Amino acid sequence: MIKVDRTTLDQLEQKYPDIGKQIFYFEQAALSTCAHCGSADTADVQCGVIGRTIHIATATTKFKLTLNRPEPGTFFCNRCDQFFD
Ligand SMILES: [Zn+2]
Protein backbone atom coordinates (compact mmCIF):
# COMPACT_ATOMS: atom_id res chain seq x y z
CA MET A 1 0.00 0.00 0.00
CA ILE A 2 1.28 3.47 -0.90
CA LYS A 3 1.65 5.56 2.26
CA VAL A 4 2.44 8.96 0.74
CA ASP A 5 0.47 11.31 -1.49
CA ARG A 6 1.05 12.21 -5.14
CA THR A 7 2.87 15.46 -4.26
CA THR A 8 5.35 13.60 -2.07
CA LEU A 9 5.92 11.03 -4.82
CA ASP A 10 6.61 13.83 -7.32
CA GLN A 11 9.10 15.43 -4.93
CA LEU A 12 10.85 12.10 -4.40
CA GLU A 13 10.98 11.52 -8.16
CA GLN A 14 12.80 14.83 -8.61
CA LYS A 15 15.34 13.93 -5.95
CA TYR A 16 15.73 10.27 -6.89
CA PRO A 17 15.01 9.66 -10.60
CA ASP A 18 12.95 6.50 -11.22
CA ILE A 19 12.17 6.00 -7.54
CA GLY A 20 8.49 5.99 -8.51
CA LYS A 21 9.12 2.95 -10.70
CA GLN A 22 10.88 1.17 -7.85
CA ILE A 23 8.04 1.94 -5.44
CA PHE A 24 5.55 0.69 -8.04
CA TYR A 25 7.64 -2.47 -8.49
CA PHE A 26 7.37 -3.29 -4.79
CA GLU A 27 3.68 -2.38 -4.76
CA GLN A 28 3.04 -4.88 -7.56
CA ALA A 29 5.29 -7.63 -6.20
CA ALA A 30 3.58 -10.89 -5.31
CA LEU A 31 4.90 -11.51 -1.80
CA SER A 32 4.40 -14.54 0.40
CA THR A 33 1.66 -14.44 2.98
CA CYS A 34 2.80 -14.42 6.61
CA ALA A 35 4.03 -17.79 7.92
CA HIS A 36 2.83 -16.84 11.42
CA CYS A 37 -0.61 -15.28 10.96
CA GLY A 38 -1.43 -15.79 7.26
CA SER A 39 -1.77 -12.06 6.56
CA ALA A 40 -1.15 -10.85 3.00
CA ASP A 41 0.05 -7.51 4.39
CA THR A 42 3.74 -8.39 4.07
CA ALA A 43 6.93 -6.71 2.89
CA ASP A 44 10.15 -7.57 1.10
CA VAL A 45 13.11 -7.19 3.51
CA GLN A 46 16.33 -5.41 2.54
CA CYS A 47 19.42 -4.57 4.52
CA GLY A 48 21.08 -1.21 4.85
CA VAL A 49 20.04 2.38 5.10
CA ILE A 50 20.70 4.83 2.29
CA GLY A 51 18.61 7.80 1.22
CA ARG A 52 16.80 6.15 -1.66
CA THR A 53 15.81 2.97 0.18
CA ILE A 54 14.67 4.91 3.23
CA HIS A 55 12.25 6.81 1.00
CA ILE A 56 11.03 3.64 -0.71
CA ALA A 57 10.33 2.15 2.74
CA THR A 58 8.50 5.34 3.69
CA ALA A 59 6.39 5.25 0.54
CA THR A 60 5.19 1.63 0.48
CA THR A 61 4.22 -0.90 3.13
CA LYS A 62 5.65 -3.65 0.92
CA PHE A 63 9.29 -2.74 1.52
CA LYS A 64 10.95 -3.18 4.92
CA LEU A 65 14.44 -2.01 5.86
CA THR A 66 16.52 -3.60 8.57
CA LEU A 67 19.92 -2.76 10.04
CA ASN A 68 20.55 -6.37 11.01
CA ARG A 69 22.87 -8.50 8.91
CA PRO A 70 22.04 -11.04 7.77
CA GLU A 71 18.38 -10.14 7.40
CA PRO A 72 16.23 -11.76 10.10
CA GLY A 73 13.99 -13.08 7.30
CA THR A 74 13.20 -12.74 3.61
CA PHE A 75 9.83 -11.17 4.37
CA PHE A 76 8.25 -9.11 7.13
CA CYS A 77 4.64 -9.17 8.30
CA ASN A 78 3.08 -5.74 8.85
CA ARG A 79 0.29 -7.25 10.91
CA CYS A 80 2.17 -9.30 13.51
CA ASP A 81 5.58 -7.55 13.19
CA GLN A 82 7.55 -10.74 12.57
CA PHE A 83 10.13 -11.77 10.00
CA PHE A 84 9.77 -15.03 8.07
CA ASP A 85 11.13 -16.89 5.03
ZN1 LIG B 1 1.87 -12.13 10.49
Side-chain angles (χ1 to χ4, degrees), residues 34 36-39 77 79-80:
C34 178
H36 306 287
C37 73
S39 171
C77 176
R79 190 196 276 177
C80 67

Side-chain angles (χ1 to χ4, degrees), residues 2-13 20 24:
I2 296 280
K3 296 187 283 183
V4 294
D5 61 20
R6 186 71 240 176
T7 312
T8 306
L9 283 176
D10 287 345
Q11 286 166 353
L12 285 174
E13 188 69 35
F24 188 71

Side-chain angles (χ1 to χ4, degrees), residues 9 11-12 33 36 40-41 50 53 56 60-61 70 73 75 82-83:
L9 283 176
Q11 286 166 353
L12 285 174
T33 52
H36 306 287
D41 186 4
I50 58 166
T53 52
I56 296 172
T60 171
T61 57
F75 302 105
Q82 293 201 63
F83 291 93

Side-chain angles (χ1 to χ4, degrees), residues 1-68:
M1 192 180 67
I2 296 280
K3 296 187 283 183
V4 294
D5 61 20
R6 186 71 240 176
T7 312
T8 306
L9 283 176
D10 287 345
Q11 286 166 353
L12 285 174
E13 188 69 35
Q14 280 168 20
K15 219 169 153 186
Y16 305 98
D18 286 340
I19 196 170
K21 261 188 231 165
Q22 286 183 288
I23 292 166
F24 188 71
Y25 168 81
F26 285 107
E27 275 296 305
Q28 296 300 305
L31 303 177
S32 293
T33 52
C34 178
H36 306 287
C37 73
S39 171
D41 186 4
T42 54
D44 194 87
V45 176
Q46 306 255 335
C47 250
V49 179
I50 58 166
R52 177 180 282 263
T53 52
I54 290 171
H55 290 295
I56 296 172
T58 307
T60 171
T61 57
K62 296 185 82 172
F63 184 81
K64 170 80 176 173
L65 274 181
T66 175
L67 291 171
N68 300 332

